Amino acid sequence: MFCPGGGENPYIKSLGERLEGAGFRVRYAGSSSFLFFQWPRVWRSDVLHLHWPECFLLSTSCVSSLIKGMVFFFCLFFFQLSGGKMVWTVHNLGRHESSCPKTDYFLIRVLIWWANALVVHSEAGREKVIEHYKLRRHGKLSVVRHANFLEDYPRKIEKSLARDQLGLKGEDIVFLFFGAIRRYKGVDCLIENFLRIKDERAKLVIAGQAGDKELMRHVHVLAEKSPSVMVFDGYVTAESVPVFMSAADLFVLPSRNMFTSGSVVLAASYGLAIIAPAILSVTDAVDTRSVFRFSPTEEHALTVAMAQAVEDYESLPDRGAAAFASVACWGWTEAAKATGAIYDKVLGRH
């Protein structure tokens, strides 16, 4: 059983479909914050595979998080007592924008202790989990690369056609931020850094939705300082993804506090060069030649990286091709095969 189910999240949807194709029967948990209410369905599963356990394990306050944690671990105890196994894919080291980080850290350490297997997407991610949670035993940790998105979204369209739809010119150098707009992602910092770029060809496109209305207002205020910043506020449909990706020259990941990023793999799947923080667990999914890295601890490092990308504009197609080549050979079928092997291992099938 996958927890949470993920709805239309291509990660959950595609991995689940390929696992079913490999002979596994996959169930999906609903979005209820208490897994206890779905326990009869969980009980019929051999493996409980957690992806983002925050909704089942953590809450808005320390006290409520501890209560949810106690209920979750109580249920998990009896699930494992009956022979069930629990696997957790570590997408984040901790909850973003947490109000009680120490409680979160304690509960996640308990979760790691209880897990039969942990999955990370890179060797750098494995080392980071070991370091962050001070793990003495590393046998639970397995590396399964993040699959590409070549089959999840429509393919690229002509750059000129995509730019016409967005009101961009052929000679523009287009930086793209794409995805949910949240405070930890640093979109406001991205705009401030971009405004220091003096080349008139440079354009910044921001496409995504924010649940925080105050944050979105702030983004719009910053964007109004320059006509070179374009904000497409709202949910981006799957059909619109290739429009933004095809119009862009570079994908920018401004967050300075990350563990892994599916967005990097998505950008590479569309053959885009990437600007990202110099965090190995974020960028080691792609060829080093495809990434302009910036120091997450230096104030204007992002500006320097963006200026370098403008200066090296002619190298962007080659950098994008290197990014694509580094992810093209590892899709959901390969990821499902590796994941299925972990299930077989924890169930003692080989």
Side-chain angles (χ1 to χ4, degrees):
M1 173 171 276
F2 277 3
C3 295
E8 291 303 308
N9 183 331
Y11 185 104
I12 297 297
K13 184 173 179 290
S14 295
L15 180 58
E17 288 174 352
R18 299 311 190 282
L19 283 166
E20 288 181 332
F24 293 90
R25 183 183 177 189
V26 181
R27 298 187 180 94
Y28 300 89
S31 58
S32 170
S33 61
F34 274 98
L35 193 60
F36 174 80
F37 297 122
Q38 305 177 64
W39 211 252
R41 296 177 63 221
V42 175
W43 200 270
R44 297 195 297 271
S45 304
D46 294 318
V47 176
L48 175 65
H49 191 158
L50 295 175
H51 286 276
W52 291 274
E54 294 91 333
C55 58
F56 303 114
L57 190 62
L58 307 176
S59 189
T60 54
S61 71
C62 297
V63 173
S64 56
S65 287
L66 288 171
I67 293 172
K68 284 182 73 173
M70 288 174 62
V71 172
F72 177 84
F73 292 125
F74 174 81
C75 294
L76 185 60
F77 171 77
F78 285 101
F79 174 68
Q80 291 181 320
L81 192 65
S82 69
K85 305 298 181 182
M86 191 268 281
V87 176
W88 175 33
T89 294
V90 188
H91 295 285
N92 300 308
L93 283 181
R95 182 169 47 162
H96 300 298
E97 302 155 358
S98 175
S99 57
C100 42
K102 291 184 179 180
T103 302
D104 290 1
Y105 183 84
F106 167 74
L107 290 171
I108 293 299
R109 284 207 67 179
V110 176
L111 179 69
I112 290 172
W113 179 83
W114 226 304
N116 298 101
L118 302 172
V119 179
V120 292
H121 289 316
S122 67
E123 287 293 340
R126 181 179 184 273
E127 295 305 314
K128 205 162 186 179
V129 169
I130 291 170
E131 178 186 0
H132 184 74
Y133 287 107
K134 301 176 176 62
L135 303 186
R136 295 181 180 178
R137 298 179 181 178
H138 311 160
K140 291 182 179 181
L141 281 158
S142 297
V143 176
V144 177
R145 288 176 57 192
H146 195 304
N148 62 51
F149 292 99
L150 297 181
E151 299 179 17
D152 297 283
Y153 297 103
R155 298 314 304 146
K156 290 184 76 170
I157 62 176
E158 287 293 330
K159 185 183 287 285
S160 58
L161 179 60
R163 292 193 170 190
D164 284 345
Q165 293 186 45
L166 300 180
L168 294 163
K169 298 177 182 178
E171 65 271 19
D172 290 338
I173 301 173
V174 181
F175 297 85
L176 173 66
F177 171 88
F178 178 91
I181 297 172
R182 295 178 59 184
R183 292 188 182 275
Y184 81 90
K185 292 192 175 184
V187 178
D188 50 351
C189 179
L190 168 60
I191 298 174
E192 290 168 351
N193 278 266
F194 175 81
L195 292 176
R196 299 188 186 102
I197 305 296
K198 301 306 179 184
D199 195 306
E200 292 184 357
R201 297 173 298 167
K203 300 292 186 290
L204 173 61
V205 174
I206 295 170
Q209 190 174 33
D212 187 333
K213 293 183 179 179
E214 182 181 343
L215 172 60
M216 203 65 223
R217 280 195 295 268
H218 182 50
V219 167
H220 279 291
V221 168
L222 289 172
E224 288 171 0
K225 294 181 179 180
S226 171
S228 293
V229 181
M230 305 170 69
V231 179
F232 295 85
D233 180 1
Y235 176 73
V236 179
T237 64
E239 292 72 24
S240 298
V241 172
V243 176
F244 289 104
M245 293 292 174
S246 301
D249 294 300
L250 299 112
F251 184 89
V252 188
L253 197 68
S255 176
R256 296 166 184 263
N257 182 23
M258 301 192 70
F259 176 55
T260 60
S261 175
S263 296
V264 166
V265 180
L266 176 60
S269 299
Y270 277 97
L272 291 181
I274 296 159
I275 297 178
I279 300 171
L280 264 181
S281 60
V282 174
T283 61
D284 65 354
V286 295
D287 192 307
T288 55
R289 295 172 296 174
S290 66
V291 185
F292 293 92
R293 289 176 173 81
F294 66 90
S295 170
T297 59
E298 295 179 15
E299 185 179 359
H300 300 310
L302 179 53
T303 303
V304 174
M306 297 174 83
Q308 182 187 354
V310 171
E311 184 178 343
D312 295 347
Y313 173 71
E314 292 184 358
S315 74
L316 298 184
D318 288 340
R319 290 175 180 269
F324 180 83
S326 60
V327 301
C329 63
W330 187 266
W332 293 112
T333 299
E334 291 77 16
K337 183 179 180 180
T339 302
I342 293 170
Y343 295 165
D344 287 337
K345 181 180 178 181
V346 298
L347 291 170
R349 291 176 178 167
H350 63 68

